Amino acid sequence: MKLRTYKYFFKESVKSIWRNKVMSLASIGSVMSALLVIGIFLILVLNVDYLAQKLESQVEIKVHLVDGLSDNIIKDIQKEIEGLEGVKEIVFVSKDQALKEFSESLGENSYLLEGLEGDNPLSDSFVVTLVDPRLAPKVTLAIKAMSNIENVVYGKEILEKLLDITYFLRIGSLAIVGILFLISVFIISNTIKLTVFARRREIGIMKYIGATDWFVRGPFFFEGVLLGFLGSIISISLLATGYYFLSRYIEQQMFGLLVVSLMPFNEVLNTLIVALLIFGVIIGSLGSMISIRKFLRV
Amino acid sequence: MMIELVNVSKTFNNGHKALKNINIKIDNGEFVFLVGPSGAGKSTLIKLLLKEIDPDDGKIIINGKDVTKLKRREIPYLRRSIGVVFQDFRLLPDKTVYENVAFAMEVTEASPKDIRRQVPIVLSLVGLSKKANLYPNQLSGGEQQRVSLARAIVNGPSILIADEPTGNLDPDTSWEVMKSLNEINHRGTTVLMATHAKDIVNAMKKRVIAIEDGTITRDDMKGGYGI
Ligand SMILES: Nc1ncnc2c1ncn2[C@@H]1O[C@H](COP(=O)(O)OP(=O)(O)OP(=O)(O)O)[C@@H](O)[C@H]1O
Ligand SMILES: [Mg+2]
């Protein structure tokens, strides 16, 4: 196939889109709204994944010891934990140290803790980091089985909740995206049907003068792809703008309060562009192929 | 042998037998009239040659190939070797004369250079060089039909088929079209023309094949229209 043939397809499809403004706009609008929803879900899933990953890499196990252990016993426990498989590092935090850190973290509100120095309610603890966060449950169990341990905590609950959320997000978005996808395909195929109808004379003539099937079909196929492409460009721009301002707003408003931030704009943008362009073009080409098959029996 | 039909029959879906056991041989460079009353089967025969429809049985050989055995994707190439014109011209109203003719070459992915060379040649052959930039609705019926003739031959087909090309024209403009057809035939293209125009057939003194009710009733080398 020759370059000028593609140029011809492109020219003809632009002409049809222009001639058929209302239906073209409706098609672009429907692709756009489908892709907006797809994009919003995508952003949510990306961010929850991002959050989960950040949390996972921060997993550390906190081992609280029963009160009043002698230094020797504490040293023994430390050795025992160090000996466990998967333990990378273990740091001892005395209860005095813990109180001091707590009071520092309160800043100007630290007066709340005044008077507790003599009767520290906190306990001595170890902070254990692992070579692999997935070992956390196993290591936790092993430590729990030791004596003189008050309790063992790690960020398991939050992590699991997050993973649950992403699961439901995925299932929910799949259903909604599927429906919107079908609606857009339908509207595009209807638009192409109108173009085929408007040009049936020309199609008839083309057949008599020896045009091949794909030559007759080319402009219609291009039209669908172009409609899908335009819809995805618009939705990408809207989502990118929205995300940019949202992430800036969150950063400014909640500076320092959030442990984790939104996924960086650039990373989101790349995924968004690739995913939505592919989606848009698939919707467009499906729509045109359906009408071509149904209404263009050459 | 350019065109050869061997025992060709065609029955339509509704059971109507439009052609019954037709045998025709047409040589390279011949000019043949196809005559017969309305409903005789002339257009059906033309549709068979263009493989718009397929026969019940029999062989249809064009340029040495059995058309009935062609695959779907080979049909466009068959049609490029056969130019066609119809009673209703079938020009594109939003293209100029030049563009209408050039379109037939664009469809075959000819190079712009070849298009620029070939289109003026065929336009002058049908006497329309001066009207190249007009639109179909600015032309007389005879001129429009000559544009469609130019379009039919621009890709250099070896056969030209015309189904009542003068059917919508008055006698004077009909003769303009016949002159062009004759000129095209003189340059070596085989011409097959279905018509009801008695005067034209009688005056031209060409081979006449008459069909009635789906069968060939006459095949005269220098015949007139008949009854
Ligand atoms: N698609 C079809 N289905 C059923 N019958 C058909 C079909 N096409 C043509 N016929 C019938 O076949 C017969 C031959 O038709 P055809 O068009 O070949 O006639 P014709 O010789 O070209 O007539 P005219 O001079 O009026 O153009 C007619 O009786 C017509 O009604
Ligand atoms: Mg007819």
Side-chain angles (χ1 to χ4, degrees), chain B residues 28-192:
Chain B
N28 233 332
E30 271 195 86
F31 193 123
V32 180
F33 284 115
L34 195 59
V35 301
S38 193
K42 304 182 293 295
S43 298
T44 304
L45 191 108
I46 286 172
K47 284 182 185 147
L48 284 171
L49 295 176
L50 294 170
K51 203 172 167 67
E52 235 184 282
I53 53 177
D54 284 312
D56 311 339
D57 45 32
K59 271 195 232 171
I60 300 173
I61 294 156
I62 293 177
N63 290 328
K65 270 198 178 171
D66 190 350
V67 170
T68 59
K69 297 217 167 70
L70 283 186
K71 294 195 184 71
R72 230 183 87 89
R73 60 183 162 74
E74 294 173 309
I75 296 175
Y77 303 97
L78 166 73
R79 293 190 182 154
R80 285 175 202 187
S81 67
I82 306 175
V84 232
V85 298
F86 298 95
Q87 184 171 355
D88 57 357
F89 319 141
R90 302 195 188 177
L91 300 173
L92 293 169
D94 56 348
K95 286 191 195 293
T96 64
V97 166
Y98 183 96
E99 288 164 349
N100 263 286
V101 177
F103 184 57
M105 290 187 79
E106 283 160 10
V107 154
T108 64
E109 293 188 88
S111 76
K113 206 177 117 221
D114 289 344
I115 295 176
R116 279 197 298 274
R117 197 183 51 221
Q118 195 61 23
V119 176
I121 293 177
V122 292
L123 282 181
S124 95
L125 180 66
V126 297
L128 285 175
S129 299
K130 293 212 178 78
K131 314 256 172 171
N133 292 320
L134 298 182
Y135 287 88
N137 64 6
Q138 298 172 302
L139 301 177
S140 74
E143 286 165 340
Q144 290 186 50
Q145 189 60 294
R146 283 184 282 147
V147 175
S148 91
L149 270 180
R151 183 181 62 193
I153 58 167
V154 74
N155 285 318
S158 50
I159 300 168
L160 179 65
I161 292 178
D163 195 354
E164 300 190 41
T166 62
N168 280 352
L169 305 176
D170 61 48
D172 284 350
T173 43
S174 293
W175 276 110
E176 293 172 13
V177 171
M178 289 316 297
K179 265 187 217 148
S180 292
L181 264 175
N182 211 15
E183 177 71 23
I184 290 163
N185 176 240
H186 276 307
R187 292 178 181 233
T189 308
T190 308
V191 176
L192 175 66

Side-chain angles (χ1 to χ4, degrees), chain A residues 24-244:
Chain A
S24 300
L25 273 180
S27 309
I28 294 172
S30 79
V31 174
M32 186 197 76
S33 26
L35 293 183
L36 272 182
V37 176
I38 294 175
I40 288 170
F41 278 115
L42 189 66
I43 287 175
L44 282 175
V45 169
L46 279 176
N47 270 289
V48 176
D49 270 0
Y50 178 75
L51 201 63
Q53 232 174 50
K54 268 204 146 173
L55 286 180
E56 221 170 43
S57 67
Q58 286 169 358
V59 162
E60 40 182 45
I61 299 175
K62 244 188 155 137
V63 182
H64 294 280
L65 304 176
V66 292
D67 216 11
L69 297 175
S70 71
D71 286 357
N72 276 342
I73 295 178
I74 290 174
K75 279 222 175 72
D76 285 347
I77 295 174
Q78 176 162 3
K79 276 208 188 98
E80 206 175 337
I81 292 177
E82 264 168 356
L84 290 173
E85 198 193 319
V87 172
K88 191 161 84 183
E89 208 183 1
I90 176 163
V91 179
F92 178 70
V93 183
S94 72
K95 61 185 199 177
D96 295 340
Q97 228 174 317
L99 185 66
K100 216 171 104 200
E101 277 169 19
F102 189 29
S103 128
E104 271 165 14
S105 78
L106 286 176
E108 56 191 32
N109 293 331
S110 62
Y111 64 88
L112 291 171
L113 299 180
E114 270 167 30
L116 283 180
E117 288 89 351
D119 183 21
N120 188 343
L122 303 176
S123 52
D124 292 331
S125 62
F126 288 115
V127 175
V128 180
T129 45
L130 304 174
V131 279
D132 181 349
R134 276 171 300 184
L135 293 172
K138 222 175 104 194
V139 175
T140 304
L141 273 179
I143 297 175
K144 268 186 181 156
M146 297 174 186
S147 47
N148 292 325
I149 306 290
E150 194 175 270
N151 67 352
V152 185
V153 282
Y154 78 100
K156 177 185 165 199
E157 288 78 14
I158 293 181
L159 201 68
E160 277 176 355
K161 271 208 184 94
L162 268 177
L163 293 178
D164 276 358
I165 291 174
T166 42
Y167 178 73
F168 284 113
L169 262 180
R170 275 166 225 251
I171 297 285
S173 59
L174 218 62
I176 295 174
V177 164
I179 292 167
L180 288 168
F181 189 91
L182 290 181
I183 291 174
S184 320
V185 168
F186 175 76
I187 292 182
I188 288 203
S189 82
N190 240 13
T191 308
I192 308 289
K193 183 175 98 183
L194 286 185
T195 311
V196 171
F197 188 71
R199 299 178 60 175
R200 64 196 180 289
R201 254 179 90 84
E202 194 175 343
I203 294 168
I205 291 168
M206 288 170 89
K207 286 194 280 179
Y208 279 116
I209 54 187
T212 53
D213 283 358
W214 63 262
F215 193 91
V216 175
R217 289 169 172 174
F220 301 101
F221 185 72
F222 262 54
E223 186 179 342
V225 171
L226 211 57
L227 290 172
F229 180 76
L230 289 174
S232 60
I233 292 289
I234 297 176
S235 63
I236 290 169
S237 323
L238 288 178
L239 286 171
T241 315
Y243 192 79
Y244 177 74

